[in-house]
Amino acid sequence: MNMRILAIETSTWLASVAVAENGEVLAEWEALTRGQHASVLLPAIREVLAQARLGLEQLDAVAVSVGPGSFTGLRVGLSVAKALAYARKTAVVGIPTLEVVAHAAPADAAYVAAALDARKGELYAAVFRRVGAELEPCVPERLVSFEAFLASLPRPCTILGDAVERYGDLFHQRLGEHGNILPFPQWAPRARVVAQLARRQLARFGLPTQWPEEPHYLRPPEAQVHRSRAA
């Protein structure tokens, strides 16, 4: 399927944008935003579209990483994706963030654990098994404690995601030679992978008729928790 896709990834503090056509990345941008997604995302989109020599009207779909991950980053990414798609009258394709993380792993990794730091001693995590050229989930995404995450891992296993920043030393200590711990942000979720997974999804199922309503947080945002307690 020959499609032009604008892809957005804002689930961690490494934000990225890419434009791909027929599986080839035409232009991409990334930056360590440290929570400043709102101020950099639209200029970055204009930049990659200019580099690709495309206008919004030439896009077939907007793909976006929908979580779990940074509450603010996900909200900004999905809001921008929906606004652009509405203006273009095209579709928004939501891609689960932990799948984006896992597909950044080396092609020879038999088992891949995608782990994002959820704070409070917890992780957003999922484990995937390589079957041919595909990654299939063998432990579904969930909010989990560090110890429960370790207990769920097959051995050997490749681990990547921003949880490595906080727990990298512990991963090395507890897993030893059975863990291949990939550093962040070198092995971060990126928009080029969002575009790749969106193209695969569109080839299988066609354009979605419904857009993602909200990011997939796995845990309610703090503001929502505070409102619930106040009520």
Side-chain angles (χ1 to χ4, degrees), residues 194-218:
V194 175
Q196 169 195 335
L197 295 177
R199 180 172 181 263
R200 185 180 304 174
Q201 181 172 311
L202 289 167
R204 290 176 178 171
F205 306 111
L207 289 170
T209 56
Q210 292 184 318
W211 296 357
E213 290 292 330
E214 295 288 339
H216 182 46
Y217 291 125
L218 283 186

Side-chain angles (χ1 to χ4, degrees), residues 13 22 32 68 102 120 129 131 133 135 150 183 190 197-198:
W13 49 266
N22 199 26
L32 302 177
K120 302 181 180 180
R129 175 180 60 247
V131 179
L135 283 177
L150 279 184
R190 283 180 164 82
L197 295 177

Side-chain angles (χ1 to χ4, degrees), residues 1-7 18-28 54 60-61 191-203:
M1 175 181 290
N2 186 9
M3 298 197 75
R4 291 169 174 163
I5 298 172
L6 171 68
V19 177
E21 180 178 10
N22 199 26
E24 177 186 355
V25 175
L26 303 180
E28 61 185 325
L54 293 175
D60 297 296
R192 61 166 45 231
V193 180
V194 175
Q196 169 195 335
L197 295 177
R199 180 172 181 263
R200 185 180 304 174
Q201 181 172 311
L202 289 167

Side-chain angles (χ1 to χ4, degrees), residues 24-84:
E24 177 186 355
V25 175
L26 303 180
E28 61 185 325
W29 168 97
E30 66 179 48
L32 302 177
T33 60
R34 295 292 182 183
Q36 302 302 311
H37 299 85
S39 62
V40 301
L41 194 54
L42 284 173
I45 289 170
R46 287 194 291 268
E47 180 180 324
V48 296
L49 286 173
Q51 289 176 3
R53 298 183 178 181
L54 293 175
L56 277 177
E57 71 282 356
Q58 294 173 279
L59 297 175
D60 297 296
V62 180
V64 60
S65 176
V66 293
S70 160
F71 292 150
T72 301
L74 292 171
R75 187 170 61 249
V76 169
L78 182 55
S79 296
V80 169
K82 290 165 75 172
L84 293 175

